[in-house]
Amino acid sequence: MIVVMSVSAVEQDIQQVVSAIEARGLSALRMPGGDRIAIGIPSAIPPDLREPLFQALSVLPGVQHVAHVSRPYKLASREFHGADTIVDVKGVRFGGRQIQMITGPCSVESYDQMRAAAMAARAAGATVLRGGAFKPRTSPYAFQGLQEEGLKILQRVGRENGLVTISEVMQPDLVALVAGHVDILQIGARNMQNFPLLIEAGKSGHPVMLKRGPSATLDEFLLAAEYLLHHNNSKVLLCERGVHPLDRSYTRNTLDLNAVPVLKEISHLPVIADPSHGTGISRYVPAMALAAVAAGADGIMVEMHPNPREALSDGAQSLTPGQLQSLMSRLRAVAAAVGRSA
Amino acid sequence: MIVVMSVSAVEQDIQQVVSAIEARGLSALRMPGGDRIAIGIPSAIPPDLREPLFQALSVLPGVQHVAHVSRPYKLASREFHGADTIVDVKGVRFGGRQIQMITGPCSVESYDQMRAAAMAARAAGATVLRGGAFKPRTSPYAFQGLQEEGLKILQRVGRENGLVTISEVMQPDLVALVAGHVDILQIGARNMQNFPLLIEAGKSGHPVMLKRGPSATLDEFLLAAEYLLHHNNSKVLLCERGVHPLDRSYTRNTLDLNAVPVLKEISHLPVIADPSHGTGISRYVPAMALAAVAAGADGIMVEMHPNPREALSDGAQSLTPGQLQSLMSRLRAVAAAVGRSA
Amino acid sequence: MIVVMSVSAVEQDIQQVVSAIEARGLSALRMPGGDRIAIGIPSAIPPDLREPLFQALSVLPGVQHVAHVSRPYKLASREFHGADTIVDVKGVRFGGRQIQMITGPCSVESYDQMRAAAMAARAAGATVLRGGAFKPRTSPYAFQGLQEEGLKILQRVGRENGLVTISEVMQPDLVALVAGHVDILQIGARNMQNFPLLIEAGKSGHPVMLKRGPSATLDEFLLAAEYLLHHNNSKVLLCERGVHPLDRSYTRNTLDLNAVPVLKEISHLPVIADPSHGTGISRYVPAMALAAVAAGADGIMVEMHPNPREALSDGAQSLTPGQLQSLMSRLRAVAAAVGRSA
Amino acid sequence: MIVVMSVSAVEQDIQQVVSAIEARGLSALRMPGGDRIAIGIPSAIPPDLREPLFQALSVLPGVQHVAHVSRPYKLASREFHGADTIVDVKGVRFGGRQIQMITGPCSVESYDQMRAAAMAARAAGATVLRGGAFKPRTSPYAFQGLQEEGLKILQRVGRENGLVTISEVMQPDLVALVAGHVDILQIGARNMQNFPLLIEAGKSGHPVMLKRGPSATLDEFLLAAEYLLHHNNSKVLLCERGVHPLDRSYTRNTLDLNAVPVLKEISHLPVIADPSHGTGISRYVPAMALAAVAAGADGIMVEMHPNPREALSDGAQSLTPGQLQSLMSRLRAVAAAVGRSA
């Protein structure tokens, strides 16, 4: 942490900053510059002191501003965990050479719909089947999901078709229920900072795919992952699903692919990209899925519905089984071009 | 809803759009233009059909884009509820002539701290005492709040000082607990779209202050309020607390005061502004509190701590009791200038 | 500047950073921390070295990231110019106790229109008359302005009505022409980083009102002002006119009033707010004009047209003369409440 | 255009809207809905009427809001120009099967530097050499470019090495000078809405690469291109170079690759991606260059400097010759995977 004093700060101001640092058992280093002085804290700051110290120093007289110099997350950082983490879910490995395809409809609507989706997913070479049972809907008037019944359908269809399953959980008291039926818990973008949910999902030890919030910085994203890791759950997948767009004239979100190489560098966790939510329009999904693979993603999640025009939710961004099949063959070519398989 | 066909759409495409609309019991109106045709749906679309229809039409061949023309919320709209809603909490009236001041520390830390805060609040003329017991913290290493013990302190101090109380609730299964101790439930910005929480808070019938999410559009914000209203809770306060900033060099958020006159026009619900989170820096809070009053806010929430330098959270944005006192006298002058009291 | 080394950096990496700093005649200070080392540059860095040094250090092996600790602008900073700058234009003083009202139509359309506008402006107590002659229009099909003829009308009407005048200049080779007819040059938001224009306007010595770009950070804004100051023009007004909005459903831009108290603190230059562009809708302009005054603005610019429904541009955000009159009386009350006049 | 009336609008309000539309020679279509009426304008609206009509209708009593249903650009739209435009610059074809690589340093610094860059570019298989002579610099203290001398060096080196050349022009009165020395004019992101510059560059008939502004919507971007096309210049390349980021902790901008498939669909113009500015950090450039190719870009622009550590500008985002060589071989593999060459 660096405390930059204002040009007009006097010795008493500086003393007060130094004292506030030393009172917390840390050392303070004066860095006299041309116009002003800065005070650095060279020692490592314990994580629980980071924010209170920052806040306390910010309000002292003569302080112009205080800047963090180290990142706020630790367990999620590659600096303290050099090797890629591979999350193995029943033999499906995220973070290795193979790019995993997660697909299926937005919502579980019926056994028949899910069976058709699963068969199309398997035929295309996908390894994970998705389907929402508890749905976060912006409007109270929109379809809210089949809930527990949906989980059972997903579980049954997954087993029957040899596919790993994933579904969203939205509240801490349902973590056990959802974990009892599906292989991977999804924490949605709107819940990225739902801390009670993160804590409960962390404690469950169940694999979790955490989606980035639509205006979350990468530090905020990795701190949310840190909640999971901090509660001893290391089976964490990071998912970039689009950030709040400049305008919504053409796409619902802006898929932030910069985040893929950055996350791969600063963290050891596998990175998934979701071009369906990242664009919101099915005809842009294939191009962005290929782009995500080229950028280094470890997995792709795309919505696919046996009949998008009849979907109860997100029809506009869902591929048909045929479109998925076609995407997968192109995706394999791009994966090979960057030294991966799919 | 308007379906704009592409220039190259053929009669069969148009027919298919018309059929899809009519199949849902709605009427379709052809609007032939110069280069292309548009198809309008003049009848009112039932709320639960709005999204699926939009999605279904978006993917039909020959469709360039589909545009909503009406707003997605209804109960929160002033069009269907012309008069200002006044939320009365134990005699403290939000939405009337008087501007209510909500103040207190970020976190409940101890009885003594809260008593000092309450006395300062009352002395300054505030009517509502805030204090966090369950804290949403970006980092797992930050102070997480005193939880139930904090609620009890807040309740006791509120009673002893004749102040209405408000505290945040973060998960649906704790709504009853929090509502049992405080007068107003706060739903935080990160939980604006925590739908299970909205539903539970709605069902409780307890007054709720809903904070706008940092990248939420006003339609999304009012749809979140619609969840509360839809579950028969009409005691809803809207709170603008700052949106994701262009950069964070000088302030933590950008207080979006445009939202104040817009929300007052499109909705009948009272509007609160929170310049403490909206700036993140205590020395900018007074100017923005005054600005919010001038813009038409019905209430102001500012963090105040008996001793900001020792605060366990948000010290940098907290006023001292003396600063609050000084702000309140200026705030009364501005309120009077715009025909209000405080 | 602080160079934060990665945890895995070795002594040779550190040496290379130190050498790169010392090779530029600066001193380097090692700050060993818990996990890593940081290297500070305590001496003042010459402005022209700031960027190249930052760039050069960023790419050295073992460097995690490089952070600026001081602000990039100097002449615009209050740290080096403690007193408020007062810009006096023919007796109209910006930055003093009086809040100046700048008003008039978006575009100069005719002598009669401008005369009606000027009379309404003067009657309401405005001191500056605006009117666009060279118009920056998003579409090539939109009205592009009366150009030199418009300047002449503005000049004549200003003189006849005892009003200071302001009009936009869009290209460096027209600075002399515009400065020959109007009292204040306006540099528009889209041209905030049109550097040849800034240089020419700076050299002219003519008063300049510089509008903040729609996604400009405050550092970028003050650096643009620095261009003017650096070319020896100290008659600079800063104008906040709204930043790119989260969505455009209700307003065209988001007026960033946080910027007002921040700019007043970090810079000595007068700050104007433009709620007409900041909202884009005339019925929200009065509330945001009052808010800007309460936040500490030194002047307000609002569009006013004798007949907004017939305006060739920006009719939707223009007040009528009657609305301006009404706004001004409320604005005087708010100004008085915060110790100013208008 | 659709005018949505408020629920409380009366017949007189509706009449006034209809009259305002008909007074401009257009027809108005009433669309009675459940709660309210909407009024559509089925006929094609002349481009120069679009904005004034929108503005005029927005302020009429009883109008809730006015929505555009057609896009504001025409010449840039694929709807009116179905085939891909191929821009041929001395045999280098943009928009065809081959992906063109544009590379070179940020700034022209010397003949030797440019010669080294050109040789590295050619060796790697690039076809276009870039180099800035007039530099838009955020700070007045930063290196401003070699200006005319720089153009001459670029021209000479381009000729000697058989490379097409591109350089930025920043002001209308220098269009002729720059066009006299280089093959493609670049209009930078900060100048995307510098309309006098667009007009002059349009009139020149010289090939132009137009960069998207950092907060420009795609409609604004295509309207800027429309300026060029409207002045009879059809040799236009669109360049996505990153939009304003959520935060700048890890990258300088957010490369918006969604824009690539969208622009390819809605426009017929070739699309270039610039991952150097889109990330700002050289080690993320290769991943994002590959991603841009997979997303469908017709060309890639990357900064490359013979010695990035000594670069006078943008060293942190420049590749070395070796890194470019390595990128090109991977880029060819990805291009082949999506049916292109490079």
Side-chain angles (χ1 to χ4, degrees):
Chain A
M1 205 176 292
I2 298 286
V3 184
V4 182
M5 304 302 291
S6 63
V7 170
S8 57
V10 296
E11 176 58 26
Q12 191 188 339
D13 298 333
I14 297 165
Q15 270 299 348
Q16 207 169 351
V17 169
V18 170
S19 303
I21 293 167
E22 293 178 348
R24 282 157 174 97
L26 302 167
S27 59
L29 185 64
R30 286 175 184 234
M31 303 170 63
D35 301 314
R36 72 184 82 233
I37 197 169
I39 298 157
I41 306 177
S43 34
I45 301 168
D48 58 334
L49 251 186
R50 184 181 160 97
E51 260 320 284
L53 181 57
F54 179 88
Q55 299 277 344
L57 295 174
S58 297
V59 292
L60 290 180
V63 170
Q64 199 209 45
H65 69 281
V66 183
H68 289 297
V69 293
S70 64
R71 303 297 181 190
Y73 48 85
K74 188 152 181 165
L75 302 173
S77 168
R78 190 179 284 277
E79 288 201 301
F80 301 95
H81 190 294
D84 282 345
T85 284
I86 297 200
V87 175
D88 187 319
V89 186
K90 296 187 172 171
V92 173
R93 290 161 56 85
F94 294 89
R97 191 174 179 280
Q98 193 186 342
I99 292 161
Q100 305 297 342
M101 172 60 77
I102 304 167
T103 194
C106 176
S107 300
V108 176
E109 296 168 10
S110 70
Y111 172 75
D112 288 349
Q113 169 234 25
M114 287 307 296
R115 200 175 64 128
M119 289 170 66
R122 210 175 49 179
T127 48
V128 186
L129 181 67
R130 60 155 287 151
F134 295 92
K135 298 300 305 169
R137 304 309 305 273
T138 301
S139 163
Y141 306 113
F143 175 61
Q144 307 273 326
L146 292 187
Q147 316 216 355
E148 188 168 354
E149 177 61 21
L151 292 178
K152 288 180 178 162
I153 292 173
L154 178 60
Q155 182 176 33
R156 177 178 161 198
V157 171
R159 278 185 192 153
E160 289 173 354
N161 293 274
L163 292 165
V164 162
T165 53
I166 182 170
S167 196
E168 178 162 356
V169 58
M170 293 201 293
Q171 52 194 103
D173 49 338
L174 293 182
V175 164
L177 176 73
V178 179
H181 290 83
V182 303
D183 301 313
I184 307 174
L185 300 173
Q186 176 176 316
I187 294 183
R190 294 182 188 86
N191 281 316
M192 189 198 86
Q193 292 187 315
N194 183 333
F195 303 113
L197 179 61
L198 292 172
I199 291 169
E200 210 58 32
K203 287 180 180 165
S204 77
H206 216 68
V208 177
M209 184 176 82
L210 176 66
K211 298 188 102 175
R212 179 183 177 194
S215 68
T217 63
L218 295 184
D219 280 359
E220 289 165 344
F221 189 22
L222 289 178
L223 276 171
E226 191 90 354
Y227 263 91
L228 298 164
L229 297 162
H230 183 63
H231 287 91
N232 293 312
N233 189 344
S234 61
K235 297 174 194 149
V236 178
L237 310 173
L238 303 172
C239 179
E240 160 60 32
R241 50 73 76 190
V243 293
H244 190 92
L246 269 174
D247 74 326
R248 288 184 166 147
S249 300
Y250 296 99
T251 57
R252 252 169 68 174
N253 289 294
T254 296
L255 190 66
D256 177 10
L257 288 184
N258 275 9
V260 175
V262 175
L263 287 172
K264 292 301 293 178
E265 180 190 79
I266 63 178
S267 180
H268 51 90
L269 298 170
V271 176
I272 314 296
D274 173 355
S276 298
H277 288 88
T279 63
I281 309 283
S282 61
R283 63 185 181 274
Y284 304 136
V285 168
M288 295 309 288
L290 301 179
V293 168
D298 297 305
I300 302 292
M301 178 153 89
V302 297
E303 291 193 354
M304 176 267 296
H305 192 284
N307 187 354
R309 291 185 202 174
E310 304 296 323
L312 294 181
S313 55
D314 277 0
Q317 70 190 36
S318 295
L319 301 183
T320 62
Q323 289 166 337
L324 177 69
Q325 188 86 37
S326 152
L327 166 59
M328 276 302 283
S329 75
R330 297 164 66 202
L331 196 145
R332 272 185 210 102
V334 173
V338 294
R340 308 284 289 267
S341 64
Chain B
M1 206 176 293
I2 299 286
V3 184
V4 182
M5 304 302 291
S6 64
V7 170
S8 57
V10 296
E11 177 58 26
Q12 191 188 337
D13 299 334
I14 296 164
Q15 269 300 348
Q16 208 169 349
V17 169
V18 170
S19 304
I21 293 167
E22 293 178 347
R24 281 158 174 96
L26 301 167
S27 58
L29 184 65
R30 285 174 186 235
M31 303 170 62
D35 301 314
R36 73 185 81 232
I37 197 170
I39 297 159
I41 305 178
S43 34
I45 300 168
D48 57 335
L49 252 184
R50 183 181 161 98
E51 260 319 285
L53 180 58
F54 179 88
Q55 300 276 342
L57 295 174
S58 297
V59 292
L60 290 180
V63 171
Q64 199 209 43
H65 68 281
V66 183
H68 289 297
V69 294
S70 63
R71 302 297 181 189
Y73 48 84
K74 188 152 180 165
L75 302 173
S77 169
R78 189 179 285 277
E79 289 201 301
F80 300 96
H81 189 295
D84 282 346
T85 284
I86 296 201
V87 175
D88 187 319
V89 185
K90 296 187 172 171
V92 173
R93 291 162 55 85
F94 294 89
R97 189 172 180 281
Q98 192 186 344
I99 293 161
Q100 305 296 344
M101 172 59 77
I102 305 167
T103 194
C106 176
S107 301
V108 176
E109 296 168 10
S110 70
Y111 172 76
D112 288 348
Q113 169 235 25
M114 287 307 296
R115 200 175 65 127
M119 289 170 66
R122 208 176 50 179
T127 49
V128 187
L129 181 67
R130 60 155 287 152
F134 296 92
K135 297 302 304 170
R137 304 310 305 274
T138 301
S139 163
Y141 306 113
F143 174 60
Q144 308 274 325
L146 292 186
Q147 315 216 356
E148 188 169 352
E149 177 61 21
L151 293 178
K152 288 180 178 160
I153 293 172
L154 178 60
Q155 182 176 31
R156 178 178 161 198
V157 171
R159 277 186 193 154
E160 290 172 354
N161 292 274
L163 291 166
V164 162
T165 53
I166 182 170
S167 196
E168 178 162 356
V169 58
M170 294 201 292
Q171 51 193 104
D173 49 339
L174 292 182
V175 165
L177 175 72
V178 179
H181 290 84
V182 303
D183 301 312
I184 308 175
L185 300 172
Q186 176 176 315
I187 294 183
R190 294 182 186 85
N191 281 315
M192 189 198 86
Q193 292 188 315
N194 183 333
F195 303 114
L197 179 61
L198 292 172
I199 291 170
E200 211 57 33
K203 287 180 181 166
S204 77
H206 216 68
V208 177
M209 185 176 82
L210 176 67
K211 299 189 101 174
R212 179 183 178 193
S215 68
T217 64
L218 295 185
D219 280 359
E220 290 165 344
F221 188 22
L222 289 179
L223 277 170
E226 191 90 354
Y227 263 90
L228 297 165
L229 297 163
H230 183 63
H231 287 90
N232 293 313
N233 188 344
S234 60
K235 296 174 195 150
V236 177
L237 309 174
L238 303 172
C239 179
E240 159 60 32
R241 51 71 79 189
V243 294
H244 191 92
L246 270 174
D247 74 325
R248 288 185 165 145
S249 300
Y250 296 99
T251 58
R252 252 169 70 174
N253 289 294
T254 297
L255 189 67
D256 177 9
L257 287 185
N258 275 9
V260 174
V262 175
L263 287 172
K264 292 300 295 177
E265 180 190 79
I266 63 178
S267 179
H268 51 90
L269 298 170
V271 176
I272 314 297
D274 173 355
S276 297
H277 289 88
T279 63
I281 308 283
S282 62
R283 61 184 182 275
Y284 304 136
V285 168
M288 296 309 288
L290 300 180
V293 168
D298 297 306
I300 301 293
M301 178 153 89
V302 298
E303 291 193 355
M304 177 267 297
H305 192 285
N307 187 354
R309 291 185 203 174
E310 304 296 323
L312 294 181
S313 55
D314 278 1
Q317 68 190 38
S318 295
L319 301 183
T320 62
Q323 289 165 337
L324 176 69
Q325 188 87 37
S326 152
L327 166 59
M328 276 303 283
S329 75
R330 297 165 66 202
L331 196 145
R332 272 185 209 102
V334 173
V338 295
R340 307 285 290 267
S341 63
Chain C
M1 206 175 292
I2 298 286
V3 184
V4 182
M5 303 303 290
S6 64
V7 170
S8 57
V10 295
E11 177 58 26
Q12 192 188 337
D13 299 334
I14 296 165
Q15 270 298 348
Q16 207 168 351
V17 169
V18 170
S19 304
I21 294 167
E22 293 178 349
R24 282 157 173 96
L26 302 167
S27 59
L29 184 65
R30 286 175 185 233
M31 303 170 62
D35 301 315
R36 74 185 80 234
I37 198 170
I39 297 158
I41 305 177
S43 34
I45 301 167
D48 58 333
L49 251 185
R50 184 181 160 98
E51 260 320 284
L53 181 57
F54 178 89
Q55 300 277 344
L57 296 174
S58 297
V59 293
L60 290 180
V63 170
Q64 199 210 45
H65 68 281
V66 183
H68 290 297
V69 294
S70 64
R71 303 296 181 190
Y73 47 85
K74 189 152 180 166
L75 302 173
S77 168
R78 188 179 286 276
E79 289 202 301
F80 301 96
H81 189 295
D84 283 345
T85 284
I86 295 198
V87 175
D88 187 319
V89 185
K90 296 188 173 169
V92 173
R93 290 160 58 85
F94 294 90
R97 191 173 178 283
Q98 193 187 342
I99 293 161
Q100 305 296 344
M101 172 59 78
I102 305 167
T103 195
C106 176
S107 299
V108 176
E109 297 168 9
S110 70
Y111 173 75
D112 288 348
Q113 169 235 24
M114 287 307 295
R115 201 176 63 128
M119 289 170 67
R122 209 176 49 177
T127 48
V128 186
L129 182 67
R130 60 155 288 152
F134 296 92
K135 298 301 304 170
R137 304 309 304 274
T138 301
S139 163
Y141 307 112
F143 174 62
Q144 308 274 326
L146 292 186
Q147 315 216 357
E148 188 168 354
E149 177 61 19
L151 293 178
K152 288 180 177 161
I153 293 173
L154 178 60
Q155 182 176 33
R156 178 178 161 199
V157 170
R159 277 185 193 155
E160 290 172 354
N161 292 273
L163 291 165
V164 162
T165 53
I166 181 170
S167 197
E168 179 162 356
V169 59
M170 293 201 293
Q171 52 192 104
D173 49 338
L174 292 182
V175 164
L177 175 72
V178 179
H181 290 83
V182 302
D183 301 312
I184 307 175
L185 299 172
Q186 176 175 314
I187 294 184
R190 295 182 186 85
N191 281 316
M192 189 198 86
Q193 292 188 314
N194 183 333
F195 303 113
L197 178 61
L198 291 171
I199 292 169
E200 210 59 32
K203 287 181 181 164
S204 77
H206 216 67
V208 177
M209 184 176 80
L210 176 67
K211 298 189 102 174
R212 180 184 176 193
S215 67
T217 64
L218 295 184
D219 280 359
E220 290 165 345
F221 188 23
L222 289 179
L223 276 170
E226 191 91 353
Y227 264 91
L228 297 165
L229 297 162
H230 183 63
H231 287 91
N232 293 314
N233 188 345
S234 60
K235 296 176 194 146
V236 177
L237 309 174
L238 303 172
C239 180
E240 159 60 32
R241 51 72 78 191
V243 293
H244 190 91
L246 270 174
D247 74 327
R248 288 184 167 148
S249 300
Y250 295 99
T251 57
R252 253 169 69 173
N253 289 295
T254 295
L255 189 67
D256 177 10
L257 288 184
N258 274 9
V260 175
V262 174
L263 287 171
K264 291 301 294 178
E265 181 189 80
I266 63 178
S267 179
H268 51 90
L269 298 170
V271 176
I272 313 296
D274 173 354
S276 298
H277 289 88
T279 64
I281 309 284
S282 61
R283 63 184 181 275
Y284 304 136
V285 168
M288 295 308 289
L290 300 180
V293 168
D298 297 307
I300 302 292
M301 178 153 88
V302 298
E303 291 192 356
M304 177 268 296
H305 192 284
N307 187 354
R309 291 185 203 174
E310 303 297 324
L312 295 182
S313 55
D314 278 359
Q317 70 190 38
S318 296
L319 301 183
T320 62
Q323 290 166 336
L324 177 69
Q325 188 87 36
S326 152
L327 167 59
M328 277 302 282
S329 75
R330 296 165 68 202
L331 197 145
R332 272 184 210 103
V334 173
V338 294
R340 309 282 290 267
S341 62
Chain D
M1 206 175 294
I2 298 286
V3 184
V4 183
M5 304 301 291
S6 64
V7 170
S8 56
V10 295
E11 176 58 26
Q12 192 188 337
D13 298 334
I14 297 164
Q15 270 299 349
Q16 207 169 351
V17 169
V18 170
S19 304
I21 295 167
E22 293 179 348
R24 282 156 174 97
L26 302 167
S27 59
L29 184 65
R30 285 173 185 235
M31 304 170 61
D35 302 313
R36 73 185 80 235
I37 198 170
I39 297 157
I41 305 176
S43 34
I45 301 168
D48 58 335
L49 252 186
R50 183 181 161 98
E51 259 321 284
L53 181 57
F54 179 89
Q55 299 277 344
L57 295 175
S58 297
V59 292
L60 289 181
V63 171
Q64 199 210 42
H65 68 281
V66 183
H68 289 297
V69 294
S70 64
R71 302 296 181 191
Y73 47 85
K74 189 153 180 164
L75 303 173
S77 169
R78 189 178 285 277
E79 289 202 301
F80 301 96
H81 190 293
D84 281 346
T85 284
I86 296 199
V87 175
D88 187 319
V89 185
K90 296 187 172 170
V92 173
R93 290 161 56 85
F94 295 89
R97 190 174 179 282
Q98 193 187 342
I99 293 161
Q100 305 296 344
M101 173 59 78
I102 306 167
T103 194
C106 176
S107 300
V108 176
E109 297 168 9
S110 70
Y111 173 76
D112 288 347
Q113 169 235 26
M114 287 307 296
R115 200 175 64 127
M119 289 171 66
R122 208 175 51 178
T127 49
V128 187
L129 182 66
R130 60 155 288 152
F134 295 92
K135 297 300 305 170
R137 304 310 304 274
T138 301
S139 163
Y141 307 112
F143 174 60
Q144 308 273 327
L146 292 186
Q147 315 216 357
E148 187 167 354
E149 177 61 20
L151 293 178
K152 287 181 178 161
I153 292 173
L154 178 60
Q155 182 176 33
R156 176 177 162 200
V157 172
R159 277 186 192 153
E160 290 172 354
N161 293 274
L163 292 165
V164 162
T165 53
I166 181 170
S167 196
E168 178 162 355
V169 59
M170 293 201 292
Q171 52 192 104
D173 49 338
L174 292 182
V175 165
L177 175 73
V178 179
H181 290 83
V182 302
D183 301 312
I184 308 175
L185 299 172
Q186 176 176 315
I187 294 184
R190 294 182 187 84
N191 281 316
M192 189 199 87
Q193 292 188 314
N194 183 333
F195 302 114
L197 178 61
L198 291 172
I199 291 169
E200 210 58 32
K203 288 181 180 164
S204 77
H206 216 67
V208 176
M209 184 176 81
L210 176 67
K211 299 189 102 174
R212 179 182 177 194
S215 67
T217 64
L218 295 185
D219 280 359
E220 289 166 345
F221 188 21
L222 289 179
L223 276 171
E226 191 91 353
Y227 263 91
L228 296 165
L229 296 162
H230 183 63
H231 288 90
N232 293 314
N233 188 343
S234 60
K235 296 176 195 148
V236 177
L237 310 174
L238 303 172
C239 179
E240 158 61 32
R241 50 71 79 191
V243 293
H244 191 91
L246 269 174
D247 73 328
R248 288 185 166 146
S249 300
Y250 295 99
T251 57
R252 252 169 69 173
N253 290 293
T254 296
L255 189 67
D256 177 10
L257 288 185
N258 274 9
V260 174
V262 174
L263 287 172
K264 291 301 294 178
E265 181 190 81
I266 63 179
S267 180
H268 51 90
L269 298 170
V271 176
I272 313 296
D274 172 355
S276 298
H277 289 87
T279 63
I281 308 283
S282 62
R283 63 185 180 275
Y284 304 135
V285 168
M288 295 309 289
L290 300 179
V293 168
D298 298 305
I300 302 292
M301 178 152 89
V302 298
E303 291 193 357
M304 177 267 296
H305 192 285
N307 188 355
R309 293 185 202 172
E310 303 297 323
L312 294 182
S313 54
D314 278 0
Q317 70 189 38
S318 296
L319 301 183
T320 62
Q323 290 166 335
L324 176 69
Q325 188 87 36
S326 154
L327 167 59
M328 277 302 283
S329 75
R330 297 165 66 202
L331 196 144
R332 271 184 210 102
V334 173
V338 295
R340 308 284 290 266
S341 62

